[in-house]
Amino acid sequence: MEKEKHTESASRQPDNAAAEKGKKTKTYKHVKLEHKRPQLTKGGEAGDGAQKKRKPTQKKRSSSAGKDPKAKLKIIPLGGLDAIGKNMTVFECGNDMIVDDAGLMFPDDNHPGVDLILPDYTYVLEHADKLRGIVITHGHEDHTGTIPYLLKDLDRQVPIYATKLTLGLIEGKLAEHRIKNAKLVEIKPGQQVKMGCFTTEFFAVNHSIPGAVGVFLQSPAGNVLHTGDFKLDQTPIDGVHFDFGALARYHEIGVDLMMSDSTNATKSTFTPSEAEVGKTLNRIISQAKQRVIIASFASHIHRMQQICDAARANGRKVVVTGRSMVQNTDIARKLGYLNIPDEDLIDAYELKGIPPEKVVIMCTGSQGEPLSALARIANGEHKTIDIEEGDTVIISATPVPGNEKAVTRVINSLAKIGADVYDKSRARVHVSGHAGAEELKIVLSIVQPKSFMPVHGESTHLRAHARLAEATGVPKDNIFLCENGESLELTPRGVHRGEVVQSGIVYVDGLSVGDTSQDVLDERCALGEQGFACIAAAVSLSRHEVQGEVQVEMRGITGGDDAYLARDAEAAVKSALRKALGKNATLKEAKKASRDALLSLLWERTKQRPMVIANLLEI
């Protein structure tokens, strides 16, 4: 058995050589190999036969240093633990409170008529006197979208802390909502900000948007690390690398609780670099014979830069269409995050006269949104852009869970016209901005948190991330799988579950915020699936008879426009009303009898149960 010792050579240290005389050694430059068989000491360690004292090692800084034994930090997730979106977490310690991110989520087929879905932030409003600041990790909608609604409901000005691009995007949202005089505070990675009893430090992370940061929160009760959304991109587009040094420093300080992005926890590999997409886009554009249309997220500034670079490299002008895409392009260019000369950027209304092989169009609609630019182009409803056979369309995004059908509909519409459609299944036109399982394990291994809480994901993602944390050494009892509203409490003694607070979702429906209930959505679904029928009749309760004729109107019901079905329905309702009135029925009982009669007939004839409303006028 050989033991290596790194020393200086004998010629440079003669005293050491003399001291080592008598030992059987071979010296190769600075390495001495001792051919003496080691013996086991009583402590079970290899040695020279006698118990030796260990050299004192540098003691790890304890995370309990400077803590108040009576302090308690509440960690309250209000969103982000049941879906990909509407991320929002509250940190409350004593008389101070911070909101970390305030995002929204877009509706799916189960939310007819709903425009946006927000987390229920009632708890924040109830404790608004404690609110010291709102921290935003990056500029995506699922982290910023709730800010305008929250600011409208707050009765005082609260500072919003974020990086330059994130603040620029937030400022655009506030302008849309006509919110003025918001207190926007720019922060930079490495900067510390004092907010009440909290000391918040920001560190750089890689994501699919510039200016993304993670947050290290120090409080009298303990320290929390929130990674924000991230991946470990070693060739980032903007040259900003993930700050591994900060993670190592936080480990030395001590991380009592770590909260980390779980979106790609079920994917076992590393997430490819964003630079790989640029190579693919350049190849596809160089081979395209006609115009190229690329749909991506409007906030994916890195992707937009690569599209612009590929277009210019192939001698093409760039056209931007879609309200949010135009707005974000303008903001990113003003702030220096998107570089393209004015002469290479043209307005959609200036397309006439430009050869199709000289154009690349950037647009919204990567999620199949019905009113997005790409959907309108595919349906022939766009004001300035018509798609033609032979055009190339690139869907440069992954459908958010629930949007797959909508995206497929748009792709099929494009293919029917004759467009050559690329999505991630055909070429690497998109890579995720979130870390895969191996990257998540690297971060966990560096930080070595005492406790762990997976965030930002559906239940499948959260549980997969919890397993990764356990595999990297976090005790199973210290891993907390929570739901929105289920709080954790951090004290100098550790982390444990706290009380449940009010949480849920708030629907934005036109100008209405929070007024749309689940019952309303259920009714809309019923209307869309089964149709609607209305009964109109005049009745006399005193005479116990129906006055005049009964009218039945049917909409969205199979056979509802059939005169025979309409006559039978009116006859069935009139007969039911006569029977009910003959038994001294009240107006309410008469309405129920008429509804039941119509529903029974429609089920017998069409096997449908539509929504039925009975309007009975008492004479």
Side-chain angles (χ1 to χ4, degrees):
M1 190 173 181
E2 296 179 341
K3 182 179 179 182
E4 295 185 357
K5 294 179 75 175
H6 295 277
T7 64
E8 297 292 332
S9 63
S11 60
R12 292 181 61 185
Q13 293 196 12
D15 295 338
N16 288 347
E20 296 288 337
K21 189 176 182 180
K23 288 186 179 180
K24 186 178 181 182
T25 64
K26 290 182 181 179
T27 304
Y28 299 97
K29 293 186 178 179
H30 303 300
V31 182
K32 290 185 177 181
L33 305 178
E34 298 185 0
H35 292 273
K36 182 178 180 181
R37 182 176 179 179
Q39 299 178 6
L40 294 178
T41 64
K42 293 180 180 179
E45 297 179 332
D48 296 329
Q51 181 76 28
K52 292 185 179 180
K53 293 183 179 180
R54 285 186 177 183
K55 291 183 179 180
T57 57
Q58 186 176 2
K59 193 173 182 180
K60 179 182 173 181
R61 293 175 63 181
S62 172
S63 62
S64 62
K67 289 183 181 179
D68 180 353
K70 296 182 180 179
K72 179 172 65 177
L73 171 63
K74 295 181 181 179
I75 301 98
I76 307 169
L78 297 179
L81 301 187
D82 59 345
I84 306 292
K86 58 182 176 60
N87 299 282
M88 191 175 195
T89 306
V90 172
F91 297 95
E92 182 182 355
C93 186
N95 292 319
D96 300 307
M97 186 172 75
I98 294 175
V99 171
D100 185 0
D101 285 330
L104 55 73
M105 189 172 74
F106 294 101
D108 55 28
D109 293 339
N110 295 324
H111 306 101
V114 173
D115 299 314
L116 302 169
I117 300 176
L118 314 178
D120 185 350
Y121 47 79
T122 302
Y123 186 87
V124 177
L125 300 179
E126 290 175 347
H127 300 81
D129 58 311
K130 296 183 177 183
L131 188 56
R132 304 293 174 246
I134 301 171
V135 174
I136 305 298
T137 57
H138 63 280
H140 283 155
E141 293 271 8
D142 58 339
H143 293 257
T144 65
T146 294
I147 292 175
Y149 303 94
L150 177 59
L151 294 186
K152 287 178 183 178
D153 289 336
L154 287 171
D155 57 1
R156 62 190 185 87
Q157 192 180 59
V158 177
I160 299 173
Y161 298 91
T163 56
K164 184 168 68 172
L165 177 62
T166 305
L167 289 181
L169 298 175
I170 291 172
E171 201 168 16
K173 291 182 181 300
L174 299 183
E176 287 182 14
H177 288 260
R178 299 180 182 179
I179 298 176
K180 300 178 180 179
N181 302 320
K183 189 174 182 180
L184 305 180
V185 183
E186 181 183 349
I187 56 92
K188 296 181 180 179
Q191 181 179 346
Q192 286 190 350
V193 178
K194 188 76 173 174
M195 304 180 202
C197 68
F198 296 100
T199 299
T200 305
E201 183 175 331
F202 305 91
F203 61 97
V205 301
N206 299 130
H207 191 38
S208 54
I209 187 171
V213 294
V215 181
F216 183 57
L217 202 67
Q218 293 177 278
S219 76
N223 307 325
V224 179
L225 174 66
H226 179 214
T227 64
D229 289 2
F230 76 96
K231 70 176 183 179
L232 307 183
D233 194 338
Q234 303 310 302
T235 55
I237 301 303
D238 57 0
V240 178
H241 289 79
F242 192 103
D243 193 348
F244 291 101
L247 294 187
R249 184 160 47 84
Y250 302 148
H251 161 68
E252 291 299 322
I253 296 172
V255 176
D256 297 296
L257 176 67
M258 176 174 164
M259 302 165 62
S260 186
D261 174 17
S262 306
T263 306
N264 277 352
T266 56
K267 298 184 179 179
S268 59
T269 58
F270 286 83
T271 301
S273 170
E274 176 65 27
E276 297 299 312
V277 176
K279 300 174 185 177
T280 305
L281 293 176
N282 188 66
R283 176 178 57 80
I284 295 173
I285 292 173
S286 67
Q287 295 172 356
K289 304 300 182 184
Q290 296 178 195
R291 75 180 71 190
V292 178
I293 302 172
I294 306 178
S296 70
F297 285 111
S299 57
H300 203 328
I301 308 301
H302 288 325
R303 187 68 45 79
M304 293 159 65
Q305 182 66 66
Q306 297 206 92
I307 293 170
C308 293
D309 292 343
R312 294 184 63 211
N314 289 279
R316 292 177 180 249
K317 303 292 185 181
V318 176
V319 177
V320 182
T321 183
R323 183 185 58 82
S324 57
M325 183 71 78
V326 171
Q327 177 177 300
N328 289 358
T329 298
D330 185 50
I331 292 171
R333 292 187 74 209
K334 286 179 179 178
L335 297 178
Y337 288 95
L338 182 61
N339 300 310
I340 180 172
D342 290 339
E343 59 269 20
D344 290 324
L345 194 63
I346 63 175
D347 190 87
Y349 288 95
E350 300 172 0
L351 269 174
K352 288 184 178 180
I354 299 179
E357 67 274 11
K358 294 294 183 182
V359 173
V360 169
I361 299 170
M362 289 197 305
C363 67
T364 55
S366 62
Q367 299 303 304
E369 306 95 316
L371 300 180
S372 66
L374 184 63
R376 286 185 284 120
I377 292 171
N379 296 328
E381 299 171 353
H382 198 278
K383 291 181 179 180
T384 58
I385 300 171
D386 294 318
I387 196 161
E388 299 176 358
E389 185 175 355
D391 286 347
T392 299
V393 179
I394 301 172
I395 312 291
S396 188
T398 297
V400 173
N403 291 347
E404 295 88 354
K405 289 183 179 179
V407 174
T408 302
R409 279 195 297 268
V410 172
I411 291 176
N412 283 330
S413 297
L414 293 167
K416 189 176 294 185
I417 297 170
D420 190 12
V421 183
Y422 287 84
D423 62 7
K424 67 169 190 173
S425 65
R426 183 177 173 187
R428 182 165 281 175
V429 294
H430 174 72
V431 295
S432 175
H434 302 270
E438 294 303 317
E439 295 160 274
L440 297 176
K441 287 193 288 186
I442 289 174
V443 172
L444 281 161
S445 298
I446 295 174
V447 176
Q448 297 180 32
K450 294 181 179 178
S451 299
F452 179 72
M453 176 184 174
V455 295
H456 196 298
E458 298 173 339
S459 297
T460 303
H461 308 121
L462 303 182
R463 290 192 175 276
H465 203 172
R467 290 192 293 270
L468 296 177
E470 187 177 359
T472 56
V474 181
K476 187 174 183 179
D477 291 343
N478 291 355
I479 299 173
F480 297 91
L481 288 164
C482 299
E483 294 185 4
N484 296 327
E486 294 181 352
S487 68
L488 297 180
E489 292 185 354
L490 169 61
T491 68
R493 296 181 298 278
V495 180
H496 62 275
R497 293 188 180 272
E499 62 181 5
V500 177
V501 306
Q502 178 176 336
S503 65
I505 55 180
V506 175
Y507 298 114
V508 178
D509 187 352
L511 297 177
S512 168
V513 180
D515 296 329
T516 304
S517 66
Q518 188 60 47
D519 290 339
V520 171
L521 293 183
D522 292 342
E523 289 178 356
R524 288 178 181 175
C525 290
L527 285 170
E529 293 171 359
Q530 302 292 342
F532 171 80
C534 179
I535 300 168
V539 298
S540 173
L541 298 181
S542 59
R543 296 179 181 178
H544 311 295
E545 62 183 18
V546 179
Q547 302 292 316
E549 297 299 322
V550 173
Q551 292 184 343
V552 176
E553 292 286 336
M554 292 178 280
R555 294 289 183 269
I557 298 172
T558 303
D561 54 352
D562 189 330
Y564 294 103
L565 179 61
R567 284 199 298 268
D568 290 347
E570 290 170 355
V573 170
K574 192 169 187 177
S575 174
L577 283 173
R578 284 174 173 170
K579 288 181 181 179
L581 294 172
K583 297 178 181 179
N584 297 322
T586 63
L587 191 63
K588 183 178 180 180
E589 291 170 340
K591 285 182 178 182
K592 183 179 185 303
S594 64
R595 279 197 304 266
D596 290 346
L598 181 56
L599 283 170
S600 178
L601 176 71
L602 291 176
W603 177 255
E604 179 184 336
R605 299 286 183 87
T606 68
K607 290 298 184 283
Q608 287 181 278
R609 293 190 183 278
M611 180 180 293
V612 175
I613 294 178
N615 292 319
L616 300 185
L617 177 62
E618 183 180 357
I619 297 176

